[in-house]
Amino acid sequence: MRSCEAFLIIPIRSTQYVPIHPSDCLPIQKTDSISKILRLFEDIKNKDVQDIVILSGDHLYRMDYMAFVDRHREVDADITIGCLPMDDERASDFGLMKIDDTGRIIEFAEKPEGDALKAMQVDTTVLGLDAEAAAANPYIASMGIYVFKKTALVSFLNSEYPQDNDFGGEIIPKAAQDGYKVQVRTPRHKIMLALYCLFVTSVSSFS
């Protein structure tokens, strides 16, 4: 089994999953992996699929994905992104966000550094942290977990942003700027229970 940093894609339709062959795992151009199997989501047999959950292949997870999807549907979002508060030391390794009081993303920066990093600091008490914890973790970081409306994802890949190859660096920031409803899923929405997420970026992060 070879390593794959592409995305595992799970259409939400009861307990039905679309199987992905290893040949569809492309380690560099992340959206290419999804484009290769886009035909499955456009197939008439999958017409009832409403939403697609996308997970990064270099993470370990334990969480309730249906709670994630339920929140996505409750607010009628085009894209919902799982998020975590983050500290200064690790923040530049992540896509960072600013949100309004409804959880809608108003600014997104992919792995910023220097002044651009400092500009993404926010008051993370909005995520349910107390003042001390918020001061230590002044960033809202993307977990690389996404829920897309199927219609929005198909449109993004086929017509809106067909030349773009990265969700965090290209498609999501453009969608937010273009007026699509891009939301975060936060602890205050009470769906971060039983959550475990480890970003396996090195041997030390795994251990």
Side-chain angles (χ1 to χ4, degrees):
M1 181 182 297
R2 67 188 179 89
S3 173
C4 177
E5 294 180 1
F7 291 93
L8 169 64
I9 304 167
I10 310 173
I12 300 301
R13 178 182 172 188
S14 185
T15 57
Q16 180 176 349
Y17 299 89
V18 171
I20 300 176
H21 190 274
S23 65
D24 288 318
C25 287
L26 300 180
I28 300 177
Q29 305 293 357
K30 297 177 182 179
T31 60
D32 286 356
S33 297
I34 295 171
S35 296
K36 287 185 66 176
I37 62 172
L38 192 58
R39 64 186 182 277
L40 294 175
F41 308 135
E42 298 175 304
D43 192 298
I44 189 63
K45 293 180 293 187
N46 293 316
K47 62 181 177 63
D48 294 330
V49 172
Q50 301 176 44
D51 305 288
I52 298 170
V53 177
I54 302 177
L55 311 176
S56 293
D58 59 349
H59 299 177
L60 297 178
Y61 307 91
R62 184 180 72 236
M63 63 184 296
D64 183 351
Y65 295 112
M66 283 311 304
F68 190 1
V69 174
D70 288 343
R71 176 62 188 175
H72 170 78
R73 292 175 176 174
E74 179 185 337
V75 300
D76 193 30
D78 296 300
I79 308 170
T80 300
I81 303 174
C83 71
L84 287 174
M86 191 57 55
D87 57 34
D88 276 300
E89 183 178 353
R90 297 176 294 167
S92 61
D93 292 332
F94 296 86
L96 302 179
M97 299 167 284
K98 292 182 178 180
I99 61 175
D100 65 17
D101 58 5
T102 70
R104 185 166 183 164
I105 294 173
I106 56 176
E107 188 173 346
F108 190 103
E110 182 67 2
K111 299 180 180 179
E113 297 181 348
D115 290 342
L117 173 63
K118 295 300 182 184
M120 294 304 294
Q121 289 187 349
V122 296
D123 178 5
T124 51
T125 57
V126 70
L127 301 183
L129 277 65
D130 60 31
E132 183 178 357
N137 297 275
Y139 301 95
I140 300 175
S142 168
M143 297 167 62
I145 304 174
Y146 312 119
V147 181
F148 283 81
K149 278 186 181 176
K150 183 183 74 172
T151 52
L153 181 60
V154 170
S155 176
F156 294 156
L157 297 180
N158 282 344
S159 57
E160 297 277 349
Y161 318 116
Q163 304 303 315
D164 292 334
N165 294 314
D166 184 78
F167 283 109
E170 296 171 321
I171 290 178
I172 290 173
K174 289 181 180 180
Q177 291 175 1
D178 290 345
Y180 285 95
K181 192 170 186 179
V182 185
Q183 296 282 135
V184 299
R185 187 204 63 172
T186 72
R188 69 189 180 124
H189 296 140
K190 299 182 181 179
I191 55 177
M192 293 287 283
L193 299 177
L195 166 63
Y196 175 78
C197 180
L198 172 66
F199 300 87
V200 185
T201 56
S202 66
V203 172
S204 59
S205 67
F206 184 78
S207 59

